[in-house]
Amino acid sequence: MNTFSRRAFLQTTRRAVTAGGVLGLGHPLLSFAAEPAPSPAEAGVAVDYYDKLGVTKIINAAGTYTALTASIMPPEVRRAVDRAALHPVRLKDLETAAGEYLAKRLQCEGALVSAGAASALTLGMAACVTVANRPQVGESIMDQIPTGVEPLKNEVIVQHAHRYEYDHALLNCGIRFVEVQTMSDYQAAFTPKTVMAHFFNAAEGGEISREEWIRVAHEHQVPCMNDAAADVPPISNLWNYTRMGFDLVCFSGGKGMRGPQNAGLLLGRKDLIAAATENNSPNSARVGRGMKVAKEQIVGMVAAVDWFLSQTDEGMEKEFRRRADTIADAVKGLPSVQCQVFVPPVANNVPHLLIRYDQQRIKIAPRAVAEELRSGTPSIELNPATGTNHASAGLPTDANTIVVGVWMLQEGEDKIVGERLRSALSKALQA
Ligand SMILES: *Cc1c(COP(=O)(O)O)cnc(C)c1O
């Protein structure tokens, strides 16, 4: 029974109890039948707007991809969001209380719920620009982000191998990147205009380690930020990087933590978190004004952290391996098929299933399998690394490999994915 039909059932039962006395005495069902049927709204049945709008629901065998709406909130998080939606509050009170609660639970000085990790990057950057320039420029520094920043202190040091698509989130603050490769480049890169040293936690290259990155930046009294957006589990990463010394750390709320899709965390030094907050909505003349975080998102993010901290790495890994095994069992017997469970090293650090086969024996390309699963019913999305010729996001894939992300599957979907994969591959078997 899904949540909604269960709720409807409970209400029906309650109605019967009220109308017919204690269940089992009198004739509760008879009494119920005498009442007019409740309207769907009265019965608490939600309208399915996906159906109403004609939007196809999918099985997510890919992972926490934003374009696939990433994760599904656990029931306790959904209920907390639902409840928060019932009452207005003073936003500042909620922001402050949520920040203090999260800082305590996540063992850091300060915390801010942002509108996602990309927003946390922008707000963290704005905080560093603010703190570096405020002594000379005054409070108006925040009004000047991004367009007035170029003549001010605005340099951000980054390793060449750490340049990535989320650079844009930092460039939104009017900064300039100063790229380095070697340690001596790095040491020589600090100038009076340096405001921050940025680190991409899951970068696949870069000579300088996290610890070295922090040590040198701190020798120059420059704060370091770490983008660890997709890097839980392990759960302990929520405090590992702030404890290591990063002044700011960003996480996506809607990936491994399964919070609202448009929520994230900025964790770190108290003064920087305060400056990030000043640069955020609801303040209107600020770079963060378009990154509004609603009360439902703030509460949802806090509830997701509570949920995530109630899990264990071992428990999650065991469940993901079970799903991978279920899917592997469905396709294993097919000629030339080999299955491997693979855990990427940093981002998406959970078991993924790799299915490899000989296209001389099974005459369909992995990308065509992905297309077949996409166009079938129910529609299934495989991991986008499927059939690609270069390793992606730490996954060792190639043109003969299907990649299945299992961690965002919902109950029973592992079986469906296994059956559909088996059927697509069997049909293409060389006679
Ligand atoms: C997903 C991701 C982001 C953006 O996260 P959102 O919560 O979607 O804003 C930023 N950086 C990295 C490395 C990511 O993987």
Side-chain angles (χ1 to χ4, degrees):
M1 219 186 275
N2 68 35
T3 315
F4 293 118
S5 57
R6 188 181 303 123
R7 194 187 299 159
F9 168 74
L10 286 173
Q11 286 200 349
T12 306
T13 316
R14 234 178 274 131
R15 214 172 255 273
V17 172
T18 339
V22 180
L23 257 185
L25 299 173
H27 303 281
L29 290 177
L30 216 72
S31 313
F32 172 65
E35 277 195 27
S39 74
E42 274 175 355
V45 179
V47 174
D48 186 332
Y49 271 91
Y50 296 140
D51 289 350
K52 191 168 176 172
L53 299 172
V55 174
T56 305
K57 291 172 226 168
I58 61 170
I59 290 180
N60 181 356
T64 58
Y65 294 89
T66 300
L68 301 176
T69 64
S71 58
I72 292 289
M73 292 183 276
E76 15 324 28
V77 177
R78 289 203 305 269
R79 284 195 290 265
V81 169
D82 210 30
R83 186 144 194 176
L86 295 175
H87 296 284
V89 293
R90 292 185 182 83
L91 188 60
K92 192 78 216 161
D93 293 350
L94 178 59
E95 207 173 58
T96 306
E100 285 169 3
Y101 181 85
L102 289 170
K104 205 170 288 166
R105 290 228 70 186
L106 303 179
Q107 309 173 35
C108 53
E109 278 184 26
L112 174 65
V113 177
S114 66
S119 156
L121 287 165
T122 302
L123 296 174
M125 186 70 256
C128 294
V129 169
T130 301
V131 166
N133 290 291
R134 187 151 46 190
Q136 300 81 39
V137 179
E139 291 305 309
S140 75
I141 175 61
M142 289 181 281
D143 302 350
Q144 297 183 48
I145 299 172
T147 48
V149 172
E150 176 54 38
L152 306 174
K153 295 182 187 172
N154 75 333
E155 291 176 3
V156 174
I157 306 176
V158 64
Q159 296 187 69
H160 175 73
H162 291 215
R163 295 297 302 268
Y164 63 160
E165 63 259 57
Y166 293 101
D167 285 349
H168 205 101
L170 308 186
L171 290 166
N172 278 347
C173 294
I175 58 97
R176 265 191 317 114
F177 284 111
V178 176
E179 278 190 19
V180 299
Q181 274 179 304
T182 65
M183 180 50 102
S184 62
D185 290 348
Y186 184 34
Q187 276 163 331
F190 290 85
T191 77
K193 287 193 79 179
T194 308
V195 295
M196 196 259 274
H198 186 55
F199 200 94
F200 169 27
N201 199 51
E204 285 170 13
E207 289 179 23
I208 308 169
S209 70
R210 296 178 185 87
E211 288 84 353
E212 290 288 277
W213 193 253
I214 296 165
R215 183 180 61 75
V216 174
H218 286 179
E219 279 170 14
H220 292 85
Q221 279 89 48
V222 166
C224 311
M225 181 153 75
N226 188 6
D227 177 0
D231 305 346
V232 288
I235 294 165
S236 59
N237 275 357
L238 287 171
W239 45 87
N240 286 341
Y241 301 119
T242 41
R243 278 185 165 181
M244 191 180 280
F246 281 105
D247 304 278
L248 290 168
V249 182
C250 307
F251 288 101
S252 182
K255 292 183 178 171
M257 278 184 274
R258 294 179 56 189
Q261 244 297 275
N262 54 345
L265 293 174
L266 182 65
L267 308 177
R269 237 169 67 188
K270 212 167 181 151
D271 63 320
L272 291 172
I273 295 296
T277 306
E278 286 181 86
N279 278 285
N280 199 13
S281 175
N283 307 306
S284 296
R286 299 289 183 268
V287 68
R289 182 59 181 85
M291 303 170 190
K292 183 187 282 180
V293 193
K295 59 188 180 305
E296 294 85 355
Q297 281 162 266
I298 298 177
V299 168
M301 188 71 252
V302 175
V305 166
D306 277 344
W307 174 81
F308 195 58
L309 295 182
S310 76
Q311 306 295 300
T312 63
D313 292 335
E314 299 71 32
M316 287 189 281
E317 165 143 10
K318 191 169 161 214
E319 169 59 16
F320 300 151
R321 281 190 186 274
R322 188 198 61 71
R323 296 176 195 174
D325 288 346
T326 299
I327 297 167
D329 285 346
V331 297
K332 251 180 196 163
L334 297 170
S336 84
V337 166
Q338 290 191 318
C339 293
Q340 182 197 356
V341 174
F342 182 84
V343 181
V346 184
N348 308 306
N349 178 236
V350 291
H352 287 63
L353 179 65
L354 306 179
I355 304 170
R356 297 196 177 88
Y357 57 94
D358 178 357
Q359 288 184 51
Q360 299 302 316
R361 305 292 303 279
I362 300 179
K363 297 225 164 219
I364 183 169
R367 297 208 70 79
V369 172
E371 194 42 56
E372 187 171 330
L373 264 60
R374 180 177 296 132
S375 56
T377 308
S379 180
I380 298 171
E381 279 294 330
L382 295 176
N383 187 282
T386 293
T388 53
N389 240 331
H390 51 90
S392 155
L395 289 160
T397 178
D398 61 27
N400 301 311
T401 303
I402 292 171
V403 183
V404 189
V406 298
W407 62 323
M408 293 297 129
L409 292 175
Q410 304 201 68
E411 201 179 329
E413 291 180 344
D414 48 358
K415 282 221 156 57
I416 300 171
V417 172
E419 281 159 18
R420 292 276 299 285
L421 280 170
R422 183 181 176 83
S423 145
L425 294 173
S426 309
K427 273 193 300 187
L429 255 182
Q430 186 65 347

